[in-house]
Amino acid sequence: MAQMTLTFGGHTIAVYALDRDRVTVGRRPNNDIHIENLSVSGYHAVILRTEEGCVVEDLNSTNGTLVNDTPVKRHVLQEGDVLLIGKHELVYSTHTESATPPKTGTAIDPHAVPVSAKGGGHAEPQKSERDPAIVAGDTIACAIVQLPPAAIRVLNGSRRGTELRLEHSRTRLGQAGKASAIIARETRGYVLIPTERKEEVFVNDQPPVADGHLLEDRDVVEIAGLQVEFYYISHDQ
């Protein structure tokens, strides 16, 4: 079932199942997704279930509705889309996990934790939050899955050597509107799911399968020329 994860200031506030045909978002308490903030209109936006899929429509709000930093009036939602409503973010997902999502009000730190760069001439790791070439949007913890620790390392370009630990349920790679993919923490493992321009996403020079590619240690992912290596973190790191 599709869901929206509401975050503010880098913390998860609540997870909402999109289990009805019409879900309203706004500042007034009778909205299905209630956001108490003066930058949010009383009835700000609505999420509809249609034949196209889930669609967000702006309700002529004062500050507008943005999807992946682009103002929209109507937008068919795709996996990993980030809606900006005032100062809050809503992250759209259809790949729910078996673990129980956090209760309303539970704060979870969504910031990715860089790991130490390994040898071999790699540059020192740098912070990658908001770097569109690596992560287009913060990773969001919707549910916790117990998996061995893993990370990705950029192999080429100006960010070569940058490393990012995969600690949360979804990490988006690439840029909105261009080739992009999500690494999702699922019960079966770390899964690469192409979201846009799938023909430009490869794992070890092969296109991933339609329902996602279960990543193995040292798999190399290429997205529109950007190469990253997936690896499991040993206990001595």
Side-chain angles (χ1 to χ4, degrees):
M1 179 182 295
Q3 65 184 27
M4 282 290 188
T5 300
L6 178 65
T7 72
F8 179 77
H11 295 289
T12 296
I13 297 174
V15 178
Y16 298 90
L18 302 180
D19 55 358
R20 62 189 71 180
D21 291 336
R22 180 183 175 89
V23 174
T24 59
V25 183
R27 194 175 72 251
R28 294 193 178 184
N30 60 340
N31 282 280
D32 299 302
I33 300 179
H34 174 221
I35 303 176
E36 184 57 51
N37 191 286
L38 292 177
S39 62
V40 179
S41 296
Y43 297 103
H44 196 105
V46 62
I47 301 166
L48 305 171
R49 288 199 301 191
T50 72
E51 293 181 355
E52 301 174 271
C54 286
V55 174
V56 60
E57 293 183 356
D58 183 74
L59 299 177
N60 296 318
S61 62
T62 301
N63 294 315
T65 299
L66 280 69
V67 177
N68 303 325
D69 296 325
T70 301
V72 300
K73 285 296 183 182
R74 185 179 187 275
H75 175 82
V76 180
L77 291 167
Q78 304 294 323
E79 178 72 24
D81 276 350
V82 179
L83 280 66
L84 183 64
I85 307 288
K87 297 181 179 180
H88 288 67
E89 289 185 344
L90 285 165
V91 181
Y92 177 75
S93 174
T94 58
H95 295 274
T96 55
E97 295 148 357
S98 59
T100 303
K103 298 178 181 179
T104 301
T106 300
I108 299 177
D109 182 6
H111 294 298
V113 180
V115 298
S116 299
K118 294 184 178 180
H122 293 304
E124 287 296 316
Q126 305 172 49
K127 289 185 178 181
S128 57
E129 292 88 344
R130 300 298 186 186
D131 183 343
I134 302 170
V135 180
D138 293 334
T139 54
I140 304 299
C142 297
I144 302 301
V145 178
Q146 296 300 319
L147 292 175
I152 55 174
R153 179 189 302 109
V154 179
L155 299 178
N156 63 349
S158 62
R159 306 292 290 185
R160 182 185 177 194
T162 299
E163 303 191 356
L164 185 71
R165 191 160 180 161
L166 303 174
E167 290 193 321
H168 304 298
S169 63
R170 280 166 183 80
T171 301
R172 182 166 181 154
L173 308 178
Q175 290 180 298
K178 299 183 180 180
S180 65
I182 287 172
I183 298 177
R185 288 168 56 99
E186 299 184 358
T187 53
R188 54 177 171 157
Y190 295 87
V191 180
L192 181 78
I193 305 168
T195 58
E196 297 178 76
R197 297 192 185 180
K198 300 176 179 62
E199 70 278 3
E200 297 184 48
V201 179
F202 299 90
V203 180
N204 302 325
D205 296 324
Q206 298 295 320
V209 295
D211 63 346
H213 176 91
L214 181 61
L215 290 167
E216 297 182 2
D217 193 40
R218 305 301 172 179
D219 274 351
V220 175
V221 178
E222 181 171 346
I223 301 177
L226 171 71
Q227 293 182 336
V228 299
E229 180 186 46
F230 169 86
Y231 65 93
Y232 285 103
I233 301 170
S234 62
H235 292 295
D236 57 354
Q237 287 183 276

